[in-house]
PDB file of all heavy atoms in Angstrom:
ATOM      1  N   ARG A1412     -27.344 -67.301 -11.574  1.00  0.00           N
ATOM      2  CA  ARG A1412     -27.606 -66.283 -12.422  1.00  0.00           C
ATOM      3  C   ARG A1412     -26.399 -65.524 -12.839  1.00  0.00           C
ATOM      4  O   ARG A1412     -25.532 -65.216 -12.027  1.00  0.00           O
ATOM      5  CB  ARG A1412     -28.633 -65.272 -11.840  1.00  0.00           C
ATOM      6  CG  ARG A1412     -29.996 -65.838 -11.514  1.00  0.00           C
ATOM      7  CD  ARG A1412     -30.824 -66.194 -12.792  1.00  0.00           C
ATOM      8  NE  ARG A1412     -32.139 -66.641 -12.365  1.00  0.00           N
ATOM      9  CZ  ARG A1412     -32.997 -67.121 -13.228  1.00  0.00           C
ATOM     10  NH1 ARG A1412     -32.632 -67.366 -14.507  1.00  0.00           N
ATOM     11  NH2 ARG A1412     -34.169 -67.450 -12.857  1.00  0.00           N
ATOM     12  N   PRO A1413     -26.239 -65.107 -14.168  1.00  0.00           N
ATOM     13  CA  PRO A1413     -24.985 -64.487 -14.594  1.00  0.00           C
ATOM     14  C   PRO A1413     -24.734 -63.108 -13.960  1.00  0.00           C
ATOM     15  O   PRO A1413     -23.612 -62.708 -13.722  1.00  0.00           O
ATOM     16  CB  PRO A1413     -25.279 -64.247 -16.084  1.00  0.00           C
ATOM     17  CG  PRO A1413     -26.200 -65.355 -16.519  1.00  0.00           C
ATOM     18  CD  PRO A1413     -27.072 -65.589 -15.265  1.00  0.00           C
ATOM     19  N   SER A1414     -25.819 -62.433 -13.559  1.00  0.00           N
ATOM     20  CA  SER A1414     -25.661 -61.075 -12.958  1.00  0.00           C
ATOM     21  C   SER A1414     -25.258 -61.102 -11.507  1.00  0.00           C
ATOM     22  O   SER A1414     -24.915 -60.071 -10.907  1.00  0.00           O
ATOM     23  CB  SER A1414     -26.988 -60.284 -13.093  1.00  0.00           C
ATOM     24  OG  SER A1414     -28.114 -61.035 -12.498  1.00  0.00           O
ATOM     25  N   TYR A1415     -25.162 -62.285 -10.887  1.00  0.00           N
ATOM     26  CA  TYR A1415     -24.830 -62.415  -9.493  1.00  0.00           C
ATOM     27  C   TYR A1415     -23.324 -62.897  -9.297  1.00  0.00           C
ATOM     28  O   TYR A1415     -22.930 -63.268  -8.185  1.00  0.00           O
ATOM     29  CB  TYR A1415     -25.775 -63.300  -8.730  1.00  0.00           C
ATOM     30  CG  TYR A1415     -27.176 -62.906  -8.510  1.00  0.00           C
ATOM     31  CD1 TYR A1415     -28.220 -63.746  -8.480  1.00  0.00           C
ATOM     32  CD2 TYR A1415     -27.434 -61.452  -8.415  1.00  0.00           C
ATOM     33  CE1 TYR A1415     -29.592 -63.295  -8.300  1.00  0.00           C
ATOM     34  CE2 TYR A1415     -28.695 -61.016  -8.234  1.00  0.00           C
ATOM     35  CZ  TYR A1415     -29.700 -61.906  -8.264  1.00  0.00           C
ATOM     36  OH  TYR A1415     -31.093 -61.395  -8.063  1.00  0.00           O
ATOM     37  N   ILE A1416     -22.650 -63.018 -10.387  1.00  0.00           N
ATOM     38  CA  ILE A1416     -21.300 -63.416 -10.386  1.00  0.00           C
ATOM     39  C   ILE A1416     -20.353 -62.205 -10.511  1.00  0.00           C
ATOM     40  O   ILE A1416     -20.504 -61.376 -11.404  1.00  0.00           O
ATOM     41  CB  ILE A1416     -21.013 -64.433 -11.539  1.00  0.00           C
ATOM     42  CG1 ILE A1416     -21.959 -65.630 -11.446  1.00  0.00           C
ATOM     43  CG2 ILE A1416     -19.550 -64.929 -11.433  1.00  0.00           C
ATOM     44  CD1 ILE A1416     -21.889 -66.527 -12.641  1.00  0.00           C
ATOM     45  N   HIS A1417     -19.333 -62.148  -9.606  1.00  0.00           N
ATOM     46  CA  HIS A1417     -18.313 -61.054  -9.695  1.00  0.00           C
ATOM     47  C   HIS A1417     -17.175 -61.543 -10.369  1.00  0.00           C
ATOM     48  O   HIS A1417     -16.767 -62.791 -10.215  1.00  0.00           O
ATOM     49  CB  HIS A1417     -18.025 -60.582  -8.241  1.00  0.00           C
ATOM     50  CG  HIS A1417     -19.114 -60.042  -7.473  1.00  0.00           C
ATOM     51  ND1 HIS A1417     -19.534 -58.741  -7.676  1.00  0.00           N
ATOM     52  CD2 HIS A1417     -20.005 -60.586  -6.552  1.00  0.00           C
ATOM     53  CE1 HIS A1417     -20.599 -58.463  -6.862  1.00  0.00           C
ATOM     54  NE2 HIS A1417     -20.905 -59.589  -6.242  1.00  0.00           N
ATOM     55  N   LEU A1418     -16.407 -60.700 -11.054  1.00  0.00           N
ATOM     56  CA  LEU A1418     -15.149 -60.961 -11.636  1.00  0.00           C
ATOM     57  C   LEU A1418     -14.162 -60.199 -10.792  1.00  0.00           C
ATOM     58  O   LEU A1418     -13.960 -59.090 -10.951  1.00  0.00           O
ATOM     59  CB  LEU A1418     -15.073 -60.627 -13.079  1.00  0.00           C
ATOM     60  CG  LEU A1418     -16.027 -61.394 -14.075  1.00  0.00           C
ATOM     61  CD1 LEU A1418     -15.879 -60.915 -15.494  1.00  0.00           C
ATOM     62  CD2 LEU A1418     -15.677 -62.876 -13.923  1.00  0.00           C
ATOM     63  N   GLY A1419     -13.466 -60.882  -9.869  1.00  0.00           N
ATOM     64  CA  GLY A1419     -12.759 -60.249  -8.789  1.00  0.00           C
ATOM     65  C   GLY A1419     -13.303 -60.739  -7.544  1.00  0.00           C
ATOM     66  O   GLY A1419     -14.472 -61.187  -7.445  1.00  0.00           O
ATOM     67  N   HIS A1420     -12.423 -60.755  -6.522  1.00  0.00           N
ATOM     68  CA  HIS A1420     -12.865 -61.372  -5.197  1.00  0.00           C
ATOM     69  C   HIS A1420     -13.774 -60.458  -4.439  1.00  0.00           C
ATOM     70  O   HIS A1420     -13.356 -59.356  -3.984  1.00  0.00           O
ATOM     71  CB  HIS A1420     -11.663 -61.742  -4.354  1.00  0.00           C
ATOM     72  CG  HIS A1420     -11.991 -62.786  -3.315  1.00  0.00           C
ATOM     73  ND1 HIS A1420     -12.931 -62.624  -2.397  1.00  0.00           N
ATOM     74  CD2 HIS A1420     -11.438 -64.065  -3.056  1.00  0.00           C
ATOM     75  CE1 HIS A1420     -13.021 -63.675  -1.585  1.00  0.00           C
ATOM     76  NE2 HIS A1420     -12.074 -64.626  -2.044  1.00  0.00           N
ATOM     77  N   ALA A1421     -15.073 -60.699  -4.319  1.00  0.00           N
ATOM     78  CA  ALA A1421     -16.022 -59.863  -3.581  1.00  0.00           C
ATOM     79  C   ALA A1421     -15.750 -60.021  -2.101  1.00  0.00           C
ATOM     80  O   ALA A1421     -15.539 -61.165  -1.633  1.00  0.00           O
ATOM     81  CB  ALA A1421     -17.456 -60.175  -3.968  1.00  0.00           C
ATOM     82  N   ALA A1422     -15.773 -58.992  -1.306  1.00  0.00           N
ATOM     83  CA  ALA A1422     -15.486 -59.033   0.090  1.00  0.00           C
ATOM     84  C   ALA A1422     -16.433 -60.046   0.763  1.00  0.00           C
ATOM     85  O   ALA A1422     -17.581 -60.000   0.553  1.00  0.00           O
ATOM     86  CB  ALA A1422     -15.589 -57.685   0.700  1.00  0.00           C
ATOM     87  N   GLY A1423     -15.825 -60.967   1.531  1.00  0.00           N
ATOM     88  CA  GLY A1423     -16.647 -61.834   2.321  1.00  0.00           C
ATOM     89  C   GLY A1423     -17.223 -63.043   1.526  1.00  0.00           C
ATOM     90  O   GLY A1423     -17.896 -63.889   2.075  1.00  0.00           O
ATOM     91  N   SER A1424     -16.921 -63.153   0.271  1.00  0.00           N
ATOM     92  CA  SER A1424     -17.488 -64.225  -0.617  1.00  0.00           C
ATOM     93  C   SER A1424     -16.926 -65.636  -0.201  1.00  0.00           C
ATOM     94  O   SER A1424     -15.710 -65.706   0.119  1.00  0.00           O
ATOM     95  CB  SER A1424     -17.140 -64.011  -2.074  1.00  0.00           C
ATOM     96  OG  SER A1424     -17.533 -65.115  -2.860  1.00  0.00           O
ATOM     97  N   ARG A1425     -17.829 -66.570  -0.064  1.00  0.00           N
ATOM     98  CA  ARG A1425     -17.432 -67.905   0.371  1.00  0.00           C
ATOM     99  C   ARG A1425     -17.213 -68.901  -0.854  1.00  0.00           C
ATOM    100  O   ARG A1425     -16.859 -69.997  -0.715  1.00  0.00           O
ATOM    101  CB  ARG A1425     -18.446 -68.504   1.313  1.00  0.00           C
ATOM    102  CG  ARG A1425     -18.361 -67.927   2.687  1.00  0.00           C
ATOM    103  CD  ARG A1425     -19.695 -67.651   3.346  1.00  0.00           C
ATOM    104  NE  ARG A1425     -20.317 -68.884   3.750  1.00  0.00           N
ATOM    105  CZ  ARG A1425     -21.529 -68.888   4.328  1.00  0.00           C
ATOM    106  NH1 ARG A1425     -22.222 -67.734   4.491  1.00  0.00           N
ATOM    107  NH2 ARG A1425     -22.103 -69.995   4.692  1.00  0.00           N
ATOM    108  N   ASN A1426     -17.432 -68.346  -2.021  1.00  0.00           N
ATOM    109  CA  ASN A1426     -17.095 -69.091  -3.315  1.00  0.00           C
ATOM    110  C   ASN A1426     -16.238 -68.284  -4.151  1.00  0.00           C
ATOM    111  O   ASN A1426     -16.585 -67.287  -4.674  1.00  0.00           O
ATOM    112  CB  ASN A1426     -18.420 -69.419  -3.989  1.00  0.00           C
ATOM    113  CG  ASN A1426     -19.202 -70.517  -3.361  1.00  0.00           C
ATOM    114  OD1 ASN A1426     -18.689 -71.488  -2.818  1.00  0.00           O
ATOM    115  ND2 ASN A1426     -20.530 -70.241  -3.271  1.00  0.00           N
ATOM    116  N   ALA A1427     -14.947 -68.641  -4.277  1.00  0.00           N
ATOM    117  CA  ALA A1427     -13.982 -67.962  -5.164  1.00  0.00           C
ATOM    118  C   ALA A1427     -13.197 -68.971  -5.919  1.00  0.00           C
ATOM    119  O   ALA A1427     -12.570 -69.896  -5.300  1.00  0.00           O
ATOM    120  CB  ALA A1427     -13.142 -67.002  -4.260  1.00  0.00           C
ATOM    121  N   VAL A1428     -13.186 -68.783  -7.220  1.00  0.00           N
ATOM    122  CA  VAL A1428     -12.521 -69.846  -8.074  1.00  0.00           C
ATOM    123  C   VAL A1428     -11.652 -69.021  -9.167  1.00  0.00           C
ATOM    124  O   VAL A1428     -12.176 -68.017  -9.652  1.00  0.00           O
ATOM    125  CB  VAL A1428     -13.583 -70.713  -8.734  1.00  0.00           C
ATOM    126  CG1 VAL A1428     -12.908 -71.802  -9.542  1.00  0.00           C
ATOM    127  CG2 VAL A1428     -14.496 -71.332  -7.738  1.00  0.00           C
ATOM    128  N   ALA A1429     -10.591 -69.554  -9.532  1.00  0.00           N
ATOM    129  CA  ALA A1429      -9.821 -68.978 -10.637  1.00  0.00           C
ATOM    130  C   ALA A1429     -10.409 -69.204 -12.013  1.00  0.00           C
ATOM    131  O   ALA A1429     -11.029 -70.314 -12.194  1.00  0.00           O
ATOM    132  CB  ALA A1429      -8.368 -69.530 -10.600  1.00  0.00           C
ATOM    133  N   GLY A1430     -10.410 -68.310 -12.950  1.00  0.00           N
ATOM    134  CA  GLY A1430     -10.926 -68.488 -14.282  1.00  0.00           C
ATOM    135  C   GLY A1430     -10.174 -67.629 -15.247  1.00  0.00           C
ATOM    136  O   GLY A1430      -9.317 -66.879 -14.892  1.00  0.00           O
ATOM    137  N   ARG A1431     -10.616 -67.787 -16.511  1.00  0.00           N
ATOM    138  CA  ARG A1431      -9.990 -67.036 -17.616  1.00  0.00           C
ATOM    139  C   ARG A1431     -11.036 -66.534 -18.550  1.00  0.00           C
ATOM    140  O   ARG A1431     -12.031 -67.270 -18.851  1.00  0.00           O
ATOM    141  CB  ARG A1431      -9.015 -67.873 -18.372  1.00  0.00           C
ATOM    142  CG  ARG A1431      -8.316 -67.228 -19.553  1.00  0.00           C
ATOM    143  CD  ARG A1431      -7.577 -68.240 -20.427  1.00  0.00           C
ATOM    144  NE  ARG A1431      -6.506 -68.842 -19.691  1.00  0.00           N
ATOM    145  CZ  ARG A1431      -5.257 -68.422 -19.688  1.00  0.00           C
ATOM    146  NH1 ARG A1431      -4.881 -67.300 -20.285  1.00  0.00           N
ATOM    147  NH2 ARG A1431      -4.361 -69.128 -18.960  1.00  0.00           N
ATOM    148  N   ILE A1432     -10.987 -65.263 -18.945  1.00  0.00           N
ATOM    149  CA  ILE A1432     -11.949 -64.642 -19.878  1.00  0.00           C
ATOM    150  C   ILE A1432     -11.745 -65.318 -21.272  1.00  0.00           C
ATOM    151  O   ILE A1432     -10.771 -65.206 -21.848  1.00  0.00           O
ATOM    152  CB  ILE A1432     -11.827 -63.083 -20.009  1.00  0.00           C
ATOM    153  CG1 ILE A1432     -11.895 -62.408 -18.611  1.00  0.00           C
ATOM    154  CG2 ILE A1432     -12.826 -62.553 -20.977  1.00  0.00           C
ATOM    155  CD1 ILE A1432     -13.310 -62.598 -18.027  1.00  0.00           C
ATOM    156  N   HIS A1433     -12.826 -65.992 -21.661  1.00  0.00           N
ATOM    157  CA  HIS A1433     -12.800 -66.629 -23.010  1.00  0.00           C
ATOM    158  C   HIS A1433     -13.382 -65.739 -24.072  1.00  0.00           C
ATOM    159  O   HIS A1433     -12.767 -65.672 -25.168  1.00  0.00           O
ATOM    160  CB  HIS A1433     -13.574 -67.953 -23.028  1.00  0.00           C
ATOM    161  CG  HIS A1433     -13.634 -68.649 -24.284  1.00  0.00           C
ATOM    162  ND1 HIS A1433     -12.641 -69.462 -24.775  1.00  0.00           N
ATOM    163  CD2 HIS A1433     -14.646 -68.696 -25.235  1.00  0.00           C
ATOM    164  CE1 HIS A1433     -13.007 -69.917 -25.962  1.00  0.00           C
ATOM    165  NE2 HIS A1433     -14.188 -69.541 -26.225  1.00  0.00           N
ATOM    166  N   ARG A1434     -14.384 -65.044 -23.770  1.00  0.00           N
ATOM    167  CA  ARG A1434     -15.019 -64.121 -24.836  1.00  0.00           C
ATOM    168  C   ARG A1434     -15.687 -62.889 -24.080  1.00  0.00           C
ATOM    169  O   ARG A1434     -16.174 -63.062 -23.018  1.00  0.00           O
ATOM    170  CB  ARG A1434     -16.029 -64.906 -25.628  1.00  0.00           C
ATOM    171  CG  ARG A1434     -16.615 -64.158 -26.786  1.00  0.00           C
ATOM    172  CD  ARG A1434     -15.693 -64.086 -27.967  1.00  0.00           C
ATOM    173  NE  ARG A1434     -15.370 -65.427 -28.556  1.00  0.00           N
ATOM    174  CZ  ARG A1434     -14.213 -65.783 -28.806  1.00  0.00           C
ATOM    175  NH1 ARG A1434     -13.081 -64.981 -28.569  1.00  0.00           N
ATOM    176  NH2 ARG A1434     -13.986 -66.992 -29.342  1.00  0.00           N
ATOM    177  N   ARG A1435     -15.673 -61.784 -24.736  1.00  0.00           N
ATOM    178  CA  ARG A1435     -16.283 -60.627 -24.179  1.00  0.00           C
ATOM    179  C   ARG A1435     -17.264 -60.031 -25.269  1.00  0.00           C
ATOM    180  O   ARG A1435     -16.853 -59.867 -26.446  1.00  0.00           O
ATOM    181  CB  ARG A1435     -15.285 -59.563 -23.801  1.00  0.00           C
ATOM    182  CG  ARG A1435     -15.813 -58.233 -23.188  1.00  0.00           C
ATOM    183  CD  ARG A1435     -14.806 -57.255 -22.840  1.00  0.00           C
ATOM    184  NE  ARG A1435     -14.266 -56.486 -23.939  1.00  0.00           N
ATOM    185  CZ  ARG A1435     -13.269 -55.710 -23.885  1.00  0.00           C
ATOM    186  NH1 ARG A1435     -12.588 -55.582 -22.719  1.00  0.00           N
ATOM    187  NH2 ARG A1435     -12.920 -55.031 -24.955  1.00  0.00           N
ATOM    188  N   MET A1436     -18.564 -59.818 -24.914  1.00  0.00           N
ATOM    189  CA  MET A1436     -19.567 -59.250 -25.797  1.00  0.00           C
ATOM    190  C   MET A1436     -20.204 -58.033 -25.186  1.00  0.00           C
ATOM    191  O   MET A1436     -20.712 -58.076 -24.036  1.00  0.00           O
ATOM    192  CB  MET A1436     -20.564 -60.353 -26.122  1.00  0.00           C
ATOM    193  CG  MET A1436     -20.050 -61.480 -27.033  1.00  0.00           C
ATOM    194  SD  MET A1436     -21.018 -62.926 -26.889  1.00  0.00           S
ATOM    195  CE  MET A1436     -20.499 -63.606 -25.299  1.00  0.00           C
ATOM    196  N   PHE A1437     -20.207 -56.932 -25.937  1.00  0.00           N
ATOM    197  CA  PHE A1437     -20.820 -55.622 -25.471  1.00  0.00           C
ATOM    198  C   PHE A1437     -22.271 -55.670 -25.782  1.00  0.00           C
ATOM    199  O   PHE A1437     -22.672 -55.853 -26.978  1.00  0.00           O
ATOM    200  CB  PHE A1437     -20.082 -54.484 -26.237  1.00  0.00           C
ATOM    201  CG  PHE A1437     -20.565 -53.158 -25.670  1.00  0.00           C
ATOM    202  CD1 PHE A1437     -20.311 -52.723 -24.436  1.00  0.00           C
ATOM    203  CD2 PHE A1437     -21.331 -52.388 -26.593  1.00  0.00           C
ATOM    204  CE1 PHE A1437     -20.786 -51.442 -24.006  1.00  0.00           C
ATOM    205  CE2 PHE A1437     -21.858 -51.099 -26.248  1.00  0.00           C
ATOM    206  CZ  PHE A1437     -21.553 -50.673 -24.891  1.00  0.00           C
ATOM    207  N   HIS A1438     -23.112 -55.438 -24.842  1.00  0.00           N
ATOM    208  CA  HIS A1438     -24.581 -55.375 -25.012  1.00  0.00           C
ATOM    209  C   HIS A1438     -25.169 -54.045 -24.638  1.00  0.00           C
ATOM    210  O   HIS A1438     -26.394 -53.921 -24.540  1.00  0.00           O
ATOM    211  CB  HIS A1438     -25.285 -56.431 -24.127  1.00  0.00           C
ATOM    212  CG  HIS A1438     -25.036 -57.793 -24.617  1.00  0.00           C
ATOM    213  ND1 HIS A1438     -26.003 -58.523 -25.369  1.00  0.00           N
ATOM    214  CD2 HIS A1438     -23.968 -58.684 -24.538  1.00  0.00           C
ATOM    215  CE1 HIS A1438     -25.509 -59.731 -25.626  1.00  0.00           C
ATOM    216  NE2 HIS A1438     -24.318 -59.850 -25.178  1.00  0.00           N
ATOM    217  N   GLY A1439     -24.405 -53.008 -24.473  1.00  0.00           N
ATOM    218  CA  GLY A1439     -24.854 -51.698 -24.132  1.00  0.00           C
ATOM    219  C   GLY A1439     -24.943 -51.495 -22.588  1.00  0.00           C
ATOM    220  O   GLY A1439     -24.139 -50.922 -22.010  1.00  0.00           O
ATOM    221  N   ASP A1440     -26.001 -51.927 -22.014  1.00  0.00           N
ATOM    222  CA  ASP A1440     -26.302 -51.777 -20.607  1.00  0.00           C
ATOM    223  C   ASP A1440     -25.363 -52.739 -19.719  1.00  0.00           C
ATOM    224  O   ASP A1440     -25.275 -52.545 -18.599  1.00  0.00           O
ATOM    225  CB  ASP A1440     -27.718 -52.008 -20.216  1.00  0.00           C
ATOM    226  CG  ASP A1440     -28.663 -50.914 -20.732  1.00  0.00           C
ATOM    227  OD1 ASP A1440     -28.079 -49.782 -20.946  1.00  0.00           O
ATOM    228  OD2 ASP A1440     -29.858 -51.124 -20.876  1.00  0.00           O
ATOM    229  N   PHE A1441     -24.890 -53.719 -20.411  1.00  0.00           N
ATOM    230  CA  PHE A1441     -23.993 -54.718 -19.650  1.00  0.00           C
ATOM    231  C   PHE A1441     -23.076 -55.344 -20.669  1.00  0.00           C
ATOM    232  O   PHE A1441     -23.224 -55.232 -21.821  1.00  0.00           O
ATOM    233  CB  PHE A1441     -24.870 -55.760 -18.996  1.00  0.00           C
ATOM    234  CG  PHE A1441     -25.628 -56.687 -19.885  1.00  0.00           C
ATOM    235  CD1 PHE A1441     -25.060 -57.862 -20.396  1.00  0.00           C
ATOM    236  CD2 PHE A1441     -26.919 -56.350 -20.230  1.00  0.00           C
ATOM    237  CE1 PHE A1441     -25.774 -58.736 -21.275  1.00  0.00           C
ATOM    238  CE2 PHE A1441     -27.620 -57.175 -21.049  1.00  0.00           C
ATOM    239  CZ  PHE A1441     -27.081 -58.335 -21.562  1.00  0.00           C
ATOM    240  N   ILE A1442     -21.933 -55.909 -20.036  1.00  0.00           N
ATOM    241  CA  ILE A1442     -21.028 -56.682 -20.880  1.00  0.00           C
ATOM    242  C   ILE A1442     -21.233 -58.163 -20.509  1.00  0.00           C
ATOM    243  O   ILE A1442     -21.250 -58.476 -19.317  1.00  0.00           O
ATOM    244  CB  ILE A1442     -19.634 -56.222 -20.659  1.00  0.00           C
ATOM    245  CG1 ILE A1442     -19.454 -54.811 -21.121  1.00  0.00           C
ATOM    246  CG2 ILE A1442     -18.644 -57.164 -21.287  1.00  0.00           C
ATOM    247  CD1 ILE A1442     -17.991 -54.260 -20.936  1.00  0.00           C
ATOM    248  N   GLN A1443     -21.302 -59.016 -21.473  1.00  0.00           N
ATOM    249  CA  GLN A1443     -21.436 -60.451 -21.126  1.00  0.00           C
ATOM    250  C   GLN A1443     -20.103 -61.092 -21.417  1.00  0.00           C
ATOM    251  O   GLN A1443     -19.574 -60.963 -22.513  1.00  0.00           O
ATOM    252  CB  GLN A1443     -22.597 -61.116 -21.972  1.00  0.00           C
ATOM    253  CG  GLN A1443     -22.742 -62.463 -21.761  1.00  0.00           C
ATOM    254  CD  GLN A1443     -24.160 -63.066 -22.211  1.00  0.00           C
ATOM    255  OE1 GLN A1443     -25.162 -62.624 -21.754  1.00  0.00           O
ATOM    256  NE2 GLN A1443     -24.094 -63.957 -23.144  1.00  0.00           N
ATOM    257  N   TYR A1444     -19.677 -61.854 -20.441  1.00  0.00           N
ATOM    258  CA  TYR A1444     -18.387 -62.551 -20.538  1.00  0.00           C
ATOM    259  C   TYR A1444     -18.675 -64.077 -20.563  1.00  0.00           C
ATOM    260  O   TYR A1444     -19.569 -64.649 -19.885  1.00  0.00           O
ATOM    261  CB  TYR A1444     -17.478 -62.368 -19.376  1.00  0.00           C
ATOM    262  CG  TYR A1444     -16.977 -60.874 -19.258  1.00  0.00           C
ATOM    263  CD1 TYR A1444     -17.603 -59.903 -18.455  1.00  0.00           C
ATOM    264  CD2 TYR A1444     -15.822 -60.474 -20.025  1.00  0.00           C
ATOM    265  CE1 TYR A1444     -17.271 -58.647 -18.440  1.00  0.00           C
ATOM    266  CE2 TYR A1444     -15.352 -59.174 -19.909  1.00  0.00           C
ATOM    267  CZ  TYR A1444     -16.049 -58.233 -19.218  1.00  0.00           C
ATOM    268  OH  TYR A1444     -15.593 -56.984 -19.052  1.00  0.00           O
ATOM    269  N   VAL A1445     -17.940 -64.786 -21.444  1.00  0.00           N
ATOM    270  CA  VAL A1445     -17.887 -66.268 -21.337  1.00  0.00           C
ATOM    271  C   VAL A1445     -16.553 -66.564 -20.605  1.00  0.00           C
ATOM    272  O   VAL A1445     -15.448 -66.210 -21.116  1.00  0.00           O
ATOM    273  CB  VAL A1445     -17.963 -66.982 -22.744  1.00  0.00           C
ATOM    274  CG1 VAL A1445     -17.844 -68.423 -22.568  1.00  0.00           C
ATOM    275  CG2 VAL A1445     -19.237 -66.497 -23.427  1.00  0.00           C
ATOM    276  N   VAL A1446     -16.658 -67.185 -19.461  1.00  0.00           N
ATOM    277  CA  VAL A1446     -15.515 -67.424 -18.582  1.00  0.00           C
ATOM    278  C   VAL A1446     -15.138 -68.891 -18.493  1.00  0.00           C
ATOM    279  O   VAL A1446     -16.068 -69.647 -18.072  1.00  0.00           O
ATOM    280  CB  VAL A1446     -15.602 -66.777 -17.219  1.00  0.00           C
ATOM    281  CG1 VAL A1446     -14.400 -66.880 -16.371  1.00  0.00           C
ATOM    282  CG2 VAL A1446     -16.097 -65.324 -17.321  1.00  0.00           C
TER     283      VAL A1446
END
């Protein structure tokens, strides 16, 4: 799920991968990123 992904290393996370922000879209209550 998109809402369970952190941008930045969450403490204790066992899955951490490098990425790059491709697109940013403002939706009011949240920001949707294509990474």
Side-chain angles (χ1 to χ4, degrees):
R1412 299 290 187 190
S1414 53
Y1415 291 150
I1416 304 171
H1417 297 276
L1418 295 179
H1420 202 304
S1424 174
R1425 283 142 73 182
N1426 289 315
V1428 185
R1431 180 192 297 269
I1432 303 295
H1433 178 78
R1434 188 74 64 226
R1435 183 179 78 188
M1436 291 159 283
F1437 181 71
H1438 286 260
D1440 291 338
F1441 63 90
I1442 294 177
Q1443 182 159 298
Y1444 294 95
V1445 179
V1446 184

